[in-house]
Amino acid sequence: MKLVNLPDFGAIKNVQTKKRQFFNFIEPAVNKENNNILSLRKRLLAIKAKTLTGAVIEQKESEFIQQLSKEYRVNTKDTNKQLIALLSKVDVIPKALVLVQAANESAWGTSRFARIGLNFFGVWCFSEGCGMVPNSRDEGADHEVAAYSSVRQAVKRYLHNINTNQAYTVFRTIRKQLRDNEQPLTPEVLATGLLPYSERGSDYVAEISDMIRHNQRYFETKETH
């Protein structure tokens, strides 16, 4: 099911060592996926700039827009509206926020879902056999906790979930406002858009924000912007 050997984070007694190793384990996948998203975004911005000059969009550019619209669940057929919608969805999530959510949702890589299915984010799936059945699943519920073959796949699905799921419209709106105002994508600010991520709501957001602040020393490398 998985292509990597997950370190035994539970066996690491020193808290700082555990945190450093956990973040170092997840970080490369976060950087790769954010950089991939950033390259797609740059192509979209270039096309958007082209339309503002009145230039005609080439066929390969049109095909690129259609492909991304399908992938990012943009339903309109109007090109300008597609570009606006895509630019609000095809964007990075600050590394610190991703890493802290991974730590929170997977109990620092010790949860059953992380150890067996490399699911560090508690992402669900809804087809039988797609993942692992939670022990606490309510009677009549059909969701499973998704299982992945690599850390990068897990990170990619998490980012795609935040960038496409209707539940995180507020998150994307906050991010777009920061972009429009040429402000940095501050992890603590964006965390306020994650109310729907947990049934704990505002308590969850407060916990994530606290974790970002308390673990700042581990996020010293330059963020993707």
Side-chain angles (χ1 to χ4, degrees), residues 90-110:
V90 184
D91 205 348
V92 298
I93 299 175
K95 180 176 65 181
L97 181 54
V98 181
L99 293 178
V100 159
Q101 272 207 281
N104 185 285
E105 293 288 334
S106 72
W108 297 94
T110 64

Side-chain angles (χ1 to χ4, degrees), residues 70-88:
K70 183 177 180 180
E71 184 178 341
Y72 280 82
R73 303 175 191 170
V74 173
N75 297 321
T76 180
K77 297 299 181 183
D78 180 273
T79 301
N80 285 327
K81 290 181 179 178
Q82 283 177 321
L83 286 169
I84 292 169
L86 284 170
L87 284 168
S88 74

Side-chain angles (χ1 to χ4, degrees), residues 165-208:
N165 195 315
Q166 191 172 353
Y168 306 115
T169 301
V170 171
F171 177 95
R172 296 191 293 270
T173 299
I174 294 169
R175 184 174 60 186
K176 183 180 184 301
Q177 289 172 344
L178 291 172
R179 288 294 196 195
D180 290 346
N181 293 316
E182 299 183 353
Q183 298 293 313
L185 300 184
T186 309
E188 294 93 331
V189 174
L190 285 168
T192 62
L194 293 175
L195 279 172
Y197 205 93
S198 168
E199 292 177 351
R200 295 169 56 216
S202 58
D203 288 341
Y204 177 78
V205 169
E207 186 174 317
I208 293 295

Side-chain angles (χ1 to χ4, degrees), residues 82-224:
Q82 283 177 321
L83 286 169
I84 292 169
L86 284 170
L87 284 168
S88 74
K89 291 185 170 186
V90 184
D91 205 348
V92 298
I93 299 175
K95 180 176 65 181
L97 181 54
V98 181
L99 293 178
V100 159
Q101 272 207 281
N104 185 285
E105 293 288 334
S106 72
W108 297 94
T110 64
S111 72
R112 175 169 72 99
F113 304 123
R115 288 183 289 105
I116 298 174
L118 294 177
N119 188 333
F120 298 92
F121 302 97
V123 176
W124 290 2
C125 56
F126 295 92
S127 57
E128 188 174 352
C130 62
M132 297 160 283
V133 177
N135 292 330
S136 58
R137 187 172 72 175
D138 292 339
E139 186 177 349
D142 61 355
H143 69 275
E144 298 181 14
V145 177
Y148 303 116
S149 59
S150 67
V151 177
R152 187 169 180 182
Q153 185 187 37
V155 171
K156 182 175 183 177
R157 295 287 174 82
Y158 157 82
L159 293 171
H160 193 259
N161 184 41
I162 298 293
N163 281 335
T164 60
N165 195 315
Q166 191 172 353
Y168 306 115
T169 301
V170 171
F171 177 95
R172 296 191 293 270
T173 299
I174 294 169
R175 184 174 60 186
K176 183 180 184 301
Q177 289 172 344
L178 291 172
R179 288 294 196 195
D180 290 346
N181 293 316
E182 299 183 353
Q183 298 293 313
L185 300 184
T186 309
E188 294 93 331
V189 174
L190 285 168
T192 62
L194 293 175
L195 279 172
Y197 205 93
S198 168
E199 292 177 351
R200 295 169 56 216
S202 58
D203 288 341
Y204 177 78
V205 169
E207 186 174 317
I208 293 295
S209 298
D210 285 344
M211 288 181 70
I212 292 169
R213 287 192 291 272
H214 292 153
N215 293 285
Q216 201 63 48
R217 76 188 82 167
Y218 302 104
F219 313 133
E220 292 166 356
T221 55
K222 190 176 179 182
E223 285 280 7
T224 304

